[in-house]
Each structure stands twice: as C-alpha cells, then as structure tokens.
Amino acid sequence: MSQTISNALFGAIGISAIAYCLAAIGLNVHFGYTGLLNFGQAGFALVGGYAVAMPISNWGWSLWATIPVVIVSSAVFALLLGIPTLRLRSDYLAIVTIAAAEILRLLVSTPKWVNVTGSTDGINSFTNDIQNTIPGFLDEGFSLWKVQVSPYIAWVMVLGWLLVGLFSVLVWSLMRSPWGRVLRSIREDEDAARSLGKNVFAYKMTSLVLGGVIGAFGGAILVIGQRSAAPTSFQTQFTFLTYAIVVLGGIGRVKGPIIGAMIFWFIISFSDSLLADWTDGSGFNLPSWIMDSSNFSFFRWIIVGGGLALLVIFRPQGIFGDRKEQSFDVR
Amino acid sequence: MSDDTVNPFEGLTPTPGVAKPEPILVADSVQRRFGGLVAVDVDHIEVQRNSITALIGPNGAGKTTFFNLLTNFDTANSGTWAFNGRPMQKVRPHQAARLGMVRTFQLTKSLSRLTVIENMRLGATGQKGENLLTAPFRFLWRDQEAEITSRAEALLERFKLDHMRDEFAGSLSGGQRKLLEMARALMVEPEMVMLDEPMAGVNPALKQSLLDHVKGLKAEGRTVLFVEHDMDMVHEISDWVVVMAEGRIIAEGPPEFIGGNQEVIDAYLGAHQNTDIGAIQ
Ligand SMILES: Nc1ncnc2c1ncn2[C@@H]1O[C@H](COP(=O)(O)OP(=O)(O)OP(=O)(O)O)[C@@H](O)[C@H]1O
Ligand SMILES: [Mg+2]
C-alpha cells in the first residue's frame, strides 16, 4: 500500500502531470479567461514536442536552441488557426482546432517523411545531448519516499516545474491587469467589448497565441520526459484530459491547472498502481471475472470518468472555482 | 427643449431629411434588407451636433437595426454615412467607438461574471494596462487605474449603483443592468452617445435623475441620439424628434410638432392599433 501511495504521489508531480499542467494553463487562457473553444490543444502540444525533437535529432541542435523554435512554431500555428476563424462564431474555432490537431498528428504519422518525423514510431534518439545538460546536484537523481527518480527525469521535472511557475506567474500578472479584464469581457460578451472600443479580434488572437505557446511547452516537456516524440502522445484525448484538468481545478483560476493536474494524475497513478497490485497474482487479488492484469487500465478510465461526472454535478465550479461566479448564465 | 439662448433648430422646416446647421452625423440612402423585408431604408438624415435627438417609431420600425448599421454591428446592403465628416461604412465596430460614437443595446449586455466596478473600468479608453507588454507591470498602470476607478465610482453614485459596486453584474436586476450599461458607455467619454431605450424598466424616481444626467451630457458638449417609447421622456429632454416607420423616416421636427403630425399618428395607429398614443397627442 505504501508503494501505491508513493507511486501516486510521484504521479501527481511527474512528467505527465507537468505536461498536462502546462497544456491546461494554456487552455485556461483560451477557454477559462477568453471563452475561446480550443479543441486542439493536442495540436499545440504536438507542435511543441516535435519542435524540440526534430531539430535535435535531425540537425544536432542543442536543447536550448530549440526553445525559440517551440515559441515561433506554436505561435504560427495559432495565427493560422485564428486568422480565418476568430471573426466567426465561437463554434468555428472549435471545429477548426480539432481538425487541425488531427491533421498535424496524421502528417507526422505518414511514412512519407519518416526520416524527419519518424512516422508512427516517432523520434526516439535525441536525448543524449539533454543528458549532458543535467546539473551536478542532480547526479544521483532523488528519491521520493519509495520511488527512485533517475537524474534525467529529475532534471526534466525541475525544468518542467520552473516552466509551470514561470507561466503561472505570467498568467496571474496578466489576468489581474486591464488586459485580462478585456479578455474576460470578451468571454462574457464580445459585442459589449466592441461597443466600448476594444479590438476583440486582436485580443482573441493574442490569447490564442499565448495559450498555444504555453501548451506547446507542455508538449515539449512530455516529449523530453518520455524520451520520445510520437503521434500517439497527442491524440484528441490529450485535449479532453486537459479540459478535464481545467474544470477539475476551477475554470479561470490561476492555480486551477496546477491543482487540477496534480489531483488528476494522483488519481490516475493511484488507481493504476492499486489495480496492478490487485491483479498481479500475489497477495490480495480481485476475482479474475471482474478484472485481470490485461484489462484493469480500462477500469481506471471508468473510475476517472465517473469521478469527473460526480464533480461536475456536485461541484460545477471545480475545486477552487467560485460557485457564485459560475452560477450566472454565460449568455 | 433646450435652455440655450441660441436654438440651432430655430427656423428649420420640419420635413424628413432636413439639413441641420452643424451635423455631426450624416447618412445617405442607407438600406438593410432581411430577405424580402426592408428593415431600414433611410434616404437622408442629419443629426445636429451637441443636441439631444430622439428616434421614435412603432415596434419593428427599424430603429435598432439603424443603430446597428450606424455603429457597424450590422452591415448595410447599401448606403453611406459619415461621423464628423469621416466616412464610416467601412469602419469596424470598435473603431466606431474609438472615433467617439458609443452605443448601448436594447437587450442589455452586462458582463455577468465581472463585477459592477470592473464593468465600469472596462469602459475607459486609452488604458496603458490594456497593452500586453505593459499589463504584467502593475506600477505602469496603477495610477491610471486609480483615476479610472474614481471616475467610475462617481458615475455609479449618479446612477444609484454604488451599493452594488463589488457585486457581479450578473446579479443585477433588469433595470439595474440598463443603468450599468448606460453608465459604462459614459466611461468611454464619447462625443456622441447612442442609447437604445435607456429608460425601459427604470423606475420613475430614478428616471428624473437620469434625464438630468442626459441633459448634463449635452451641457458637456456631447451629442445624444436615443431610441425611446416613453413619450414623456421624449418631450422632456429632446431638442428634435425623428420618426421612423417601416424602415423609413416619415417625419422629423421639434417635439411639439411631432405630436400633431398626421403621418406620425397614422404610422402608430396603422402599425399598432392599440399603441397608447395619448402621450403623443
Ligand atoms: N437579424 C434579423 N433577421 C431578420 N429580420 C430582422 C432582424 N433584425 C431585425 N429584423 C426585422 O427588422 C425590422 C426592424 O427591427 P428593429 O429591431 O430594428 O425594430 P425596432 O424599431 O428597434 O423595434 P422595437 O421598438 O420593438 O425595438 C423588424 O421587422 C424585424 O423583424
Ligand atoms: Mg429596437
């Protein structure tokens, strides 16, 4: 049991939690503050992930040199999505973003550019250089109760949490400002914002770019941490889990994505670890007609789905949301 | 009527499309069709600068649609119009507001999940903190924000909303939302204010204070164009009245003239038999 809890605690602050947290910080800017229905956060994450892996593996770039690539490529992706759709009704953005994210995933999966993208296997040989950037104090990695964290993962976690801190402070400082006030007014009623002289299109575009770039760093951390940039990491469920995290933590709250991601990945890792323990054939075991080691991961998603449904019913404002604020009609 | 010694409307013929001495807004051949319905078909209209002009007409006359066209929230099928001599038909809605033409909506658009004071602050223009690059640094916009806040508070007091200062706008009543929207529009400090039924749902006691405020806007040198069904208000504050029916402007003149105009009476009676025209006559 202590191993299970230990695993779960590590899950709450591990690579996936960080990556999804960053994606959720970006999505919170889009959806939580501006009301933009971006259903393609997986696409932004994919852009960020491949923007790191491709230059390192194909052209021998250093990790640090890929940072501008992450920023520029995801910003360009946001502009491409936003220019045709942000003047239209909000549902168009939803359709275009979900389609664009899928197109990107299929593009990197095609065998045609296998030399550059690695096709369905992805890019798996780019971490040697990153290994060399590990600072001395992490030479031993660290241990988290019963989980031993390797120096490499420890280093990615340090970088990841630094990014989470950086972007959270940035979002916090922006959202308390008059700039953030304009975003929130657009979320409430675009025409009201327009009637007061606000250039709604420009603000929505800036929001899409900002949240997209933050999401791209989430993808970058995921790829670096997994030592692999593969299309399977960026399926549409990436976007939907990110939404779940934003809702769980509280929509339009700075700490929402952090709390949401940690709780979400704690639950996932906990049930994973527990169900694995209960189906491994030693000690306590669930009867095999309920589940066995080959199918418990399905049950994990059923538990998570049921939990989210309960949350939405009993605490629609999320864990940190303001119930009063969420109770008003958006229309 | 105005208390000014010089009345700019003195000697004007009360006919549709009559030229004004100092027009701030001039529109020509503005048309808007919805399928087969011609909602707006205005040949020519001029709005006198620094005056209070009422736009009246039966339900469905096209008043709101005309407002939407002038402020570019809707696109005209044809026509030209100019504000301060500047052609406006290609301008985007937010630019129209920045050029000094600010409107309110008949169906109020309060920003529910912003507090009342945040709604008000949003209206202020030229905010340094609305720029992405300066926004994160509070010391760059703190002073301006304080100045905006005190201006907002003064207006809220005027509109009897000061006790709601920190409540979410979504918790206001219908009439309070109307008031908030009007107060918020005034935060823009526009040259011309366009109010779509500002008094609908506002209680009579407060109405008087708002009428005074609208007159005050004129005293500050602003121009007011408002749509209203309440004839008492029209009579009390407007310098000039424009009457629309079925998309066209069928009459305009000083408020005393409009009440006795046969075409106006016909328009109201013809379009809506049971409209209370007692106030007109
Ligand atoms: N979006 C739209 N689509 C189709 N028809 C419309 C639309 N907007 C307005 N109309 C029609 O245009 C006409 C004018 O409507 P408008 O809202 O301008 O009237 P109004 O003078 O403001 O009336 P009221 O005093 O009731 O507010 C009406 O016949 C209405 O049905
Ligand atoms: Mg109307």
Side-chain angles (χ1 to χ4, degrees):
Chain A
M1 199 58 192
S2 59
Q3 183 65 50
T4 299
I5 294 176
S6 191
N7 287 346
L9 286 174
F10 176 64
I13 58 166
I15 300 296
S16 298
I18 298 168
Y20 277 84
C21 177
L22 287 166
I25 293 172
L27 189 65
N28 202 27
V29 171
H30 294 155
F31 176 68
Y33 292 104
T34 325
L36 296 177
L37 278 177
N38 167 21
F39 280 121
Q41 195 66 341
F44 284 102
L46 185 150
V47 167
Y50 278 79
V52 170
M54 285 196 327
I56 297 180
S57 110
N58 297 324
W59 307 299
W61 290 29
S62 81
L63 174 65
W64 311 120
T66 62
I67 293 175
V69 187
V70 172
I71 296 172
V72 171
S73 56
S74 54
V76 168
F77 185 53
L79 292 174
L80 290 176
L81 293 179
I83 287 168
T85 55
L86 287 181
R87 282 184 212 278
L88 306 174
R89 253 184 17 226
S90 63
D91 2 7
Y92 290 93
L93 180 71
I95 298 165
V96 169
T97 47
I98 198 168
E102 280 297 278
I103 291 170
L104 275 186
R105 192 172 63 82
L106 294 173
L107 281 179
V108 296
S109 314
T110 57
K112 196 171 166 66
W113 300 299
V114 63
N115 294 335
V116 188
T117 63
S119 182
T120 46
D121 290 341
I123 303 168
N124 302 294
S125 56
F126 60 90
T127 49
N128 285 346
D129 174 69
I130 302 174
Q131 201 88 41
N132 296 334
T133 62
I134 300 175
F137 73 95
L138 289 173
D139 273 350
E140 310 280 288
F142 60 84
S143 65
L144 207 80
W145 198 2
K146 300 207 161 182
V147 177
Q148 180 59 39
V149 183
S150 74
Y152 181 83
I153 295 297
W155 176 222
V156 182
M157 283 171 66
V158 168
L159 290 179
W161 282 109
L162 281 176
L163 284 174
V164 169
L166 176 77
F167 287 128
S168 293
V169 168
L170 178 68
V171 168
W172 168 78
S173 67
L174 282 173
M175 293 312 162
R176 68 168 184 170
S177 77
W179 187 84
R181 180 160 67 215
V182 177
L183 285 200
R184 282 180 286 130
S185 76
I186 292 170
R187 174 190 73 193
E188 299 299 308
D189 194 315
E190 286 185 32
D191 279 343
R194 281 195 188 94
S195 77
L196 299 170
K198 313 303 174 195
N199 186 348
V200 169
F201 178 75
Y203 280 95
K204 288 209 282 194
M205 188 59 94
T206 315
S207 163
L208 191 64
V209 170
L210 177 67
V213 170
I214 299 174
F217 276 99
I221 288 293
L222 190 66
V223 158
I224 298 169
Q226 292 179 338
R227 298 169 183 262
S228 158
T232 45
S233 306
F234 304 108
Q235 289 165 328
T236 41
Q237 69 166 7
F238 182 101
T239 302
F240 296 123
L241 295 185
T242 306
Y243 264 100
I245 285 166
V246 172
V247 173
L248 186 67
I251 300 164
R253 304 276 132 180
V254 173
K255 61 191 166 195
I258 303 175
I259 305 292
M262 289 176 72
I263 293 176
F264 185 85
W265 284 101
F266 178 87
I267 295 170
I268 293 280
S269 317
F270 184 82
S271 54
D272 234 11
S273 187
L274 191 69
L275 295 178
D277 189 32
W278 285 355
T279 53
D280 65 356
S282 74
F284 173 79
N285 267 285
L286 289 170
S288 59
W289 55 267
I290 297 181
M291 66 179 89
D292 56 36
S293 56
S294 68
N295 67 4
F296 70 81
S297 59
F298 293 117
F299 280 85
R300 177 183 71 177
W301 291 115
I302 293 173
I303 294 167
V304 169
L308 281 172
L310 289 177
L311 178 88
V312 171
I313 293 165
F314 293 109
R315 244 193 112 76
Q317 71 274 38
I319 307 224
F320 275 94
D322 179 339
R323 175 138 216 170
K324 206 167 149 217
E325 182 179 319
Q326 296 300 332
S327 67
F328 299 120
D329 264 353
V330 184
R331 279 283 123 201
Chain B
M1 271 310 282
S2 113
D3 311 315
D4 291 353
T5 38
V6 190
N7 178 0
F9 296 99
E10 195 80 52
L12 287 190
T13 345
T15 57
V18 62
K20 309 290 184 318
E22 276 180 85
I24 188 170
L25 179 74
V26 181
D28 280 292
S29 326
V30 179
Q31 247 202 28
R32 176 67 166 112
R33 295 182 294 272
F34 294 109
L37 176 89
V38 184
V40 169
D41 184 10
V42 170
D43 289 334
H44 185 80
I45 185 176
E46 296 185 8
V47 176
Q48 169 67 18
R49 183 187 304 278
N50 194 13
S51 72
I52 302 178
T53 304
L55 179 61
I56 66 168
N59 293 118
K63 307 179 294 292
T64 298
T65 309
F66 191 46
F67 259 39
N68 289 345
L69 296 177
L70 292 176
T71 50
N72 289 287
F73 277 84
D74 190 6
T75 315
N77 295 99
S78 60
T80 56
W81 59 99
F83 177 71
N84 273 330
R86 187 188 194 290
M88 296 291 280
Q89 51 282 357
K90 294 259 154 55
V91 157
R92 291 196 283 145
H94 74 271
Q95 294 169 323
R98 284 189 195 170
L99 289 168
M101 215 171 148
V102 169
R103 57 89 53 93
T104 63
F105 297 87
Q106 181 172 5
L107 300 173
T108 46
K109 294 187 181 298
S110 51
L111 307 164
S112 297
R113 289 179 292 173
L114 261 59
T115 60
V116 167
I117 189 76
E118 286 283 80
N119 265 268
M120 294 293 289
R121 286 179 184 137
L122 182 72
T125 50
Q127 297 192 42
K128 293 189 203 106
E130 286 184 359
N131 183 315
L132 180 68
L133 300 179
T134 43
F137 310 105
R138 189 173 186 178
F139 63 92
L140 292 176
W141 45 263
R142 194 170 35 202
D143 293 345
Q144 193 187 23
E145 184 87 344
E147 178 262 317
I148 289 168
T149 304
S150 60
R151 199 150 59 81
E153 282 167 344
L155 270 172
L156 284 180
E157 205 170 316
R158 178 83 201 213
F159 282 75
K160 300 277 184 295
L161 284 172
D162 42 338
H163 62 295
M164 302 299 279
R165 184 187 188 279
D166 298 310
E167 301 293 326
F168 284 119
S171 68
L172 298 184
S173 73
Q176 287 173 325
R177 287 177 198 211
K178 270 253 106 114
L179 296 173
L180 174 59
E181 187 168 306
M182 184 167 159
R184 192 177 63 194
L186 296 180
M187 283 298 290
V188 185
E189 304 196 306
E191 233 184 307
M192 176 159 152
V193 197
M194 300 170 64
L195 307 168
D196 200 344
E197 305 203 12
M199 296 299 165
V202 174
N203 90 68
L206 191 49
K207 225 175 243 183
Q208 197 49 51
S209 141
L210 288 189
L211 291 183
D212 293 342
H213 196 86
V214 173
K215 287 186 201 161
L217 292 176
K218 183 183 158 188
E220 288 168 21
R222 301 184 209 284
T223 308
V224 181
L225 177 65
F226 71 102
V227 171
E228 192 50 72
H229 288 293
D230 177 349
M231 288 304 161
D232 291 336
M233 169 172 176
V234 172
H235 273 277
E236 177 159 356
I237 64 166
S238 51
D239 303 308
W240 194 257
V241 181
V242 177
V243 188
M244 267 184 102
E246 294 175 359
R248 317 188 119 264
I249 290 178
I250 56 159
E252 56 176 293
E256 315 80 50
F257 167 81
I258 292 300
N261 183 296
Q262 191 56 43
E263 280 200 62
V264 177
I265 295 164
D266 286 348
Y268 272 83
L269 285 178
H272 291 270
Q273 306 283 341
N274 39 14
T275 307
D276 175 19
I277 57 152
I280 307 180
Q281 292 168 312

